[in-house]
Amino acid sequence: MAPESRRHCLEPGETEGGSAQGSAGASARVCTKVDRSYDKGIRIGTLFVMLATSSIGTRSLCRSDRGSKQTNGISAVFGPIFLVRFAHVHPSGYIFTVLKQFGTGVIISTAFVHLLTHADLMFANECLGGLKFEATTTAIVMAGAFLTFILQYSSFRFSEARSRTVAASKQGNDHTESTNGDGSDKSSQTQSQTQTHGQVAEHLPQLDDPLSVLILEMGIIFHSAIIGVTLVVAGDSFYRILLVVIIFHQMFEGLALGVRISKLSTVRLRIKLLMASAFALITPLGMGIGLGVLDTFNGNDKATIIAIGTLDAFSAGILVWTGFVQMWSNDWLYGDLRDAGVVQTCLGGFALVSGLVAMSVLGKWA
């Protein structure tokens, strides 16, 4: 049986607390709309709590070249951005190694323990009926990962073609200048250097790629919007427990996303803050949507179950590709940890496992 926070069907005579008022017909399921009594006041209040947690939840002491100053309003998603911008924390140092690897563990655990499992529970829901294709969940996950690969590969090929065009144009200008000057041809040396640099660049992964971070955020945002709706429509008996779990859930995901956003050296601070704000607002937005449809929402509707399951599985595919290829593989095989010292390697490994375990434990409730 699915955890309380994920169930959409109630047994005959069953209350919100999960107890049945009789054993007769207990094996049957009620898959029509279940009328529930919701405490809307606490849901409206916790919407603002979630907003505060996602955007202004903590307090940090940052030091600049002029001295030290207190900075309020730094949260999991905004914190790493401000640490790099104002506290001058080096992205390759111990602090960011721990934050990055913890975030990598969070993303991978979210993909498997939260999204993939939840999608599988949705498609196995008795209110939906048996699916003709048993591998529906994993097929959608595979599609999400494949489409993410296609998008990133196409972007990479376009970027490479554009770079070669610019390089060829620059070589032509350099050749003209060198022959119009002292008569000697200096273009051969320039061309040799450019080709050598290009060969090295082609074999290096794109560690500072805005598109990769945008795709990561897209997968997280889909998931966070569903979380907001699911939280609001949950029964009152387990609403408070689910709220606490989701707050920690969003803090961990915000930390993972914020670290990656902060490392985008080619992106302006204003754009970074907009990307962080999108994450901070999406779960409260989902809660607002849930409040709007609270009286008419039918979690037992087949279309609703299919929509939630599909979005969860597709988001899992996005995070599987991003987590393994763009984060785990890049950091450990091609990035800073490839030849890092023993201390930094151990810290990174411990943080990675901690992220995997922490998010997996939260998967018991959300």
Side-chain angles (χ1 to χ4, degrees):
M1 182 178 294
E4 291 291 341
S5 59
R6 294 172 177 162
R7 291 177 57 191
H8 292 272
C9 301
L10 293 180
E11 297 181 4
E14 187 179 23
T15 65
E16 288 291 349
S19 61
Q21 295 178 353
S23 59
S27 60
R29 292 288 186 178
V30 176
C31 289
T32 57
K33 182 180 182 300
V34 178
D35 293 325
R36 292 175 174 176
S37 176
Y38 293 104
D39 187 344
K40 293 185 178 180
I42 191 173
R43 283 165 171 77
I44 294 174
T46 51
L47 185 153
F48 294 100
V49 172
M50 184 65 68
L51 177 63
T53 303
S54 299
S55 58
I56 59 173
T58 63
R59 205 174 161 177
S60 176
L61 185 65
C62 297
R63 295 182 179 178
S64 64
D65 294 336
R66 298 179 180 178
S68 62
K69 60 179 181 179
Q70 282 191 336
T71 303
N72 296 319
I74 298 180
S75 72
V77 68
F78 288 101
I81 300 174
F82 288 124
L83 284 175
V84 172
R85 179 64 177 82
F86 299 111
H88 307 290
V89 176
H90 198 281
S92 300
Y94 289 168
I95 295 178
F96 258 77
T97 295
V98 171
L99 294 178
K100 282 174 59 181
Q101 298 315 309
F102 183 84
T104 299
V106 165
I107 293 300
I108 293 174
S109 179
T110 297
F112 287 101
V113 178
H114 293 253
L115 294 176
L116 179 57
T117 302
H118 193 207
D120 199 46
L121 288 172
M122 290 293 99
F123 289 126
N125 196 314
E126 294 182 14
C127 297
L128 181 62
L131 294 175
K132 295 182 179 180
F133 184 52
E134 295 179 350
T136 298
T137 304
T138 49
I140 297 175
V141 172
M142 183 172 60
F146 180 75
L147 290 177
T148 303
F149 157 72
I150 290 295
L151 181 60
Q152 290 190 334
Y153 181 71
S154 300
S155 174
F156 174 77
R157 291 296 297 267
F158 175 78
S159 177
E160 287 293 301
R162 184 178 179 183
S163 298
R164 284 193 294 268
T165 301
V166 172
S169 176
K170 184 176 181 181
Q171 288 177 18
N173 293 335
D174 291 343
H175 177 74
T176 301
E177 292 176 0
S178 62
T179 55
N180 290 339
D182 55 5
S184 61
D185 189 358
K186 300 179 181 178
S187 62
S188 59
Q189 182 180 0
T190 303
Q191 183 177 2
S192 176
Q193 293 175 350
T194 303
Q195 289 177 347
T196 302
H197 180 270
Q199 291 173 355
V200 174
E202 286 179 356
H203 292 86
L204 289 177
Q206 302 297 314
L207 299 176
D208 191 5
D209 181 14
L211 178 62
S212 300
V213 180
L214 282 175
I215 292 175
L216 170 64
E217 182 167 15
M218 181 174 64
I220 293 176
I221 280 180
F222 285 162
H223 174 45
S224 297
I226 295 174
I227 280 181
V229 176
T230 304
L231 173 62
V232 170
V233 301
D236 286 348
S237 60
F238 42 82
Y239 179 81
R240 291 174 177 82
I241 296 176
L242 188 59
L243 174 65
V244 174
V245 173
I246 287 179
I247 285 176
F248 282 101
H249 180 283
Q250 293 305 101
M251 287 176 60
F252 290 160
E253 280 194 344
L255 177 63
L257 180 61
V259 170
R260 297 293 161 170
I261 293 175
S262 67
K263 287 182 66 66
L264 297 177
S265 58
T266 60
V267 176
R268 295 180 179 179
L269 178 62
R270 178 177 57 187
I271 303 300
K272 293 181 180 180
L273 294 179
L274 286 176
M275 295 173 67
S277 298
F279 169 81
L281 294 173
I282 192 62
T283 302
L285 178 61
M287 294 178 67
I289 294 173
L291 285 169
V293 301
L294 193 59
D295 294 328
T296 59
F297 178 81
N298 181 12
N300 299 324
D301 181 67
K302 290 185 178 181
T304 300
I305 296 172
I306 292 174
I308 293 176
T310 301
L311 285 175
D312 276 342
F314 191 80
S315 299
I318 294 175
L319 297 188
V320 164
W321 170 268
T322 305
F324 279 110
V325 177
Q326 294 296 325
M327 300 173 74
W328 197 341
S329 175
N330 270 346
D331 289 342
W332 288 86
L333 300 181
Y334 307 102
D336 299 332
L337 292 173
R338 179 178 181 177
D339 54 358
V342 175
V343 175
Q344 189 171 10
T345 301
C346 291
L347 286 174
F350 179 78
L352 177 65
V353 175
S354 298
L356 291 169
V357 172
M359 209 61 169
S360 297
V361 170
L362 292 181
K364 176 176 174 59
W365 297 279

